[in-house]
Amino acid sequence: AQKITQTQPGMFVQEKEAVTLDCTYDTSDPSYGLFWYKQPSSGEMIFLIYQGSYDQQNATEGRYSLNFQKARKSANLVISASQLGDSAMYFCAMREAVDSGYSTLTFGKGTMLLVSP
Amino acid sequence: DGGITQSPKYLFRKEGQNVTLSCEQNLNHDAMYWYRQDPGQGLRLIYYSQIVNDFQKGDIAEGYSVSREKKESFPLTVTSAQKNPTAFYLCASGGPENWSNQPQHFGDGTRLSIL
């Protein structure tokens, strides 16, 4: 079963509008972390925002905010006031512990966001 | 500046050939990771290493091998046993693990193609 599900293969938004990118996750572990990364066409992965499972408040970083609904196991990324430079692939990822005591990231398949003028 | 350097940026492999992708970091991170990304897909974990001389298989380790002789370096070898190696390979590193809010930092990637 997929641990991270991003149901929107592509999204379109007009410049200056807000957009929400969906992410649902599946885990039975009470302690986990959720990350969002941006991948422009050049390929590098850029960290955007983090939400811990025990965090009481939704995370915010500038124009990025995370709508964290723990009971629904969703962690949607909200980008306010979209800019042309926001056009990229966006990945949701979950950090969980593994048996050896380490932790690893599991990524969703991503959502391609296109911002139009 | 601190960061992760992957080389080469583009790599071509002939049938039956092993190739090695380089990954070096100067962030003083303990953990390092290799991911594979296929077109339109997310990242899948190949191998990871928490400390020098120790590494663990990820979800798709078959046909790959790694070494971790130095903290700064985590090279990935794509062996001839990997029948479909064409992909984008990303190396990452991370600081103290386990419930840290510190993200993994990524290199710029290597694009590997079959000749």
Side-chain angles (χ1 to χ4, degrees), chain A residues 29 31-32 35 37 39 41 43-45 47 50 91 95-98 100-105 107-109, chain B residues 33 35 37 40-43 45 48 50 54 56 88 90 97-104 106-108 111:
Chain A
D29 203 325
S31 294
Y32 53 88
F35 296 81
Y37 283 86
Q39 187 180 43
S41 57
E44 75 268 30
M45 296 287 283
F47 165 69
Y50 167 84
F91 291 99
R95 167 177 277 160
E96 293 178 290
V98 293
S100 54
Y102 303 155
S103 63
T104 60
L105 283 184
F107 285 82
K109 293 190 175 182
Chain B
Y33 308 83
Y35 294 92
Q37 185 179 23
Q41 300 294 316
L43 280 65
L45 184 63
Y48 60 102
Q50 188 78 358
D54 184 56
Q56 309 293 327
F88 186 52
L90 283 158
E97 284 294 327
N98 289 343
W99 323 126
S100 165
N101 63 355
Q102 296 304 306
Q104 290 181 12
F106 286 81
D108 290 342
R111 294 191 185 276

Side-chain angles (χ1 to χ4, degrees), chain A residues 25 32 51 58 66-76:
Chain A
Y25 59 92
Y32 53 88
Q51 181 83 45
N58 287 345
L66 211 150
N67 183 2
F68 182 47
Q69 298 188 43
K70 196 169 179 177
R72 295 185 176 185
K73 294 187 176 178
S74 74
N76 299 339

Side-chain angles (χ1 to χ4, degrees), chain A residues 72-116:
Chain A
R72 295 185 176 185
K73 294 187 176 178
S74 74
N76 299 339
L77 177 70
V78 180
I79 304 174
S80 63
S82 297
Q83 301 171 355
L84 295 177
D86 292 336
S87 293
M89 195 77 166
Y90 288 80
F91 291 99
C92 179
M94 179 170 63
R95 167 177 277 160
E96 293 178 290
V98 293
D99 291 342
S100 54
Y102 303 155
S103 63
T104 60
L105 283 184
T106 300
F107 285 82
K109 293 190 175 182
T111 295
M112 175 65 76
L113 176 66
L114 291 178
V115 182
S116 60

